[in-house]
Amino acid sequence: MAQDRTPAPYARDFGDPRRAFRAGARLAVGVPAAVLAASYVGFGALVQQVDLAFWHALFSIATAWALPGQVALVELYADGASLLAVTAAVALTNARLLPMAITLIALLRTPGTPQWRYYLAAHWIAVTGWALAMRDCPAMPPAQRLPYFMGICLVIWSVSMMGAAIGFALAGNVPAYVTLGLVFLNPVYFMLVVAGDVRGVSRVLAAILGAIGGPLLYLASPDWSLLITGLVGGTLAYLIGRVRAAGP
Amino acid sequence: MSAASPWWPLVLLIAGAAATYVWRALGVALSGRIVPQGRLFEWIACVAYALLSGLVARMILLPSGPLAAVPLAARVGAAALALTVFFLARRNMPLGVVAGVAVFMVLSWAHGAGLL
């Protein structure tokens, strides 16, 4: 941290990185933590229902914390998809992390910070922590931004594991209809994420084409349907959106 | 390694972790050099939306796991209700999710009890 910092022109100055970390953690305890825990209850239940072990769920959260890709992986595993099909589908599902990482890390950079810290912090870039940090960090001194982001993420990351533990423990030990409801949490949650998030002709079209193509192509090829749906539906939607934008 | 091996899930999880972290690392490498706007990133967003939306529709319409035991009408009905509540409540995510899951539990229970 720069000791010779000039009096703060920043609207949100927590004083030092340690306090910024705690402020981020405090922000995360509440609605963000509740949303993450609840969504990972569904993931835990799904993992239990496809006969995977609890440590598989934990390993997945520890190493690849981004729920859409995690759910896609478990679903494809349950369908007996090949390694290549699973890897490609997860990569495409998570490609949206690239623009998110580019924008967030640019905001978190401070001169003199070793590069590896950014590569480490990037491991926790996912939609909730990203959105909160993108909203709050511009008003903060640069040296406090990375700790603030990590404060948010470490809370919602731990809570994700707890949520998965609860979902895993409940599934199979509660009446069947409750377990089914917990598994149903996954598609309903993502359906509302997509429905609430899509803006612009091409993205709306992408969501619609995906919803049509996903089930139809699945009938033809359970392995590759997800990948083809994303590539073909997404590209088609993108092209139509461009033609319309350039149109008469 | 074949799909029958007990280590198969771990192999998939490690591949999945690599396929996830690669974007994050690439993002660090590119940050400050390019601004993520323009055609390439719009295309990435479209592909991600189509894929996620395809996964959701497939999980609701053609589930391969335990959800397959519940009638199609119950799955579609609960999903439609979740969407309706979500938009009526001004995009209230928790409310939409709770409504959809609660109705789905009731319908699953009714089906299990032979009422549906």
Side-chain angles (χ1 to χ4, degrees), chain B residues 6-102:
Chain B
W7 297 106
W8 179 243
L10 184 62
V11 172
L12 293 184
L13 287 171
I14 290 170
T20 305
Y21 185 70
V22 67
W23 300 114
R24 292 169 165 149
L26 193 60
V28 179
L30 292 175
S31 86
R33 289 165 214 236
I34 57 170
V35 179
Q37 279 160 4
R39 298 174 183 192
L40 175 64
F41 292 98
E42 183 56 22
W43 177 74
I44 288 177
C46 285
V47 169
Y49 277 119
L51 200 152
L52 193 55
S53 169
L55 177 64
V56 166
R58 208 275 291 149
M59 285 178 84
I60 293 172
L61 297 175
L62 298 168
S64 50
L67 295 181
V70 183
L72 176 69
R75 288 181 257 126
V76 173
L81 184 97
L83 265 182
T84 310
V85 169
F86 174 71
F87 282 114
L88 284 182
R90 297 164 172 247
R91 298 173 187 246
N92 186 321
M93 170 82 72
L95 208 60
V97 170
V98 167
V101 168

Side-chain angles (χ1 to χ4, degrees), chain A residues 85-99:
Chain A
V86 172
T87 310
V90 172
L92 271 193
T93 310
N94 286 333
R96 82 217 132 73
L97 295 173
L98 173 64

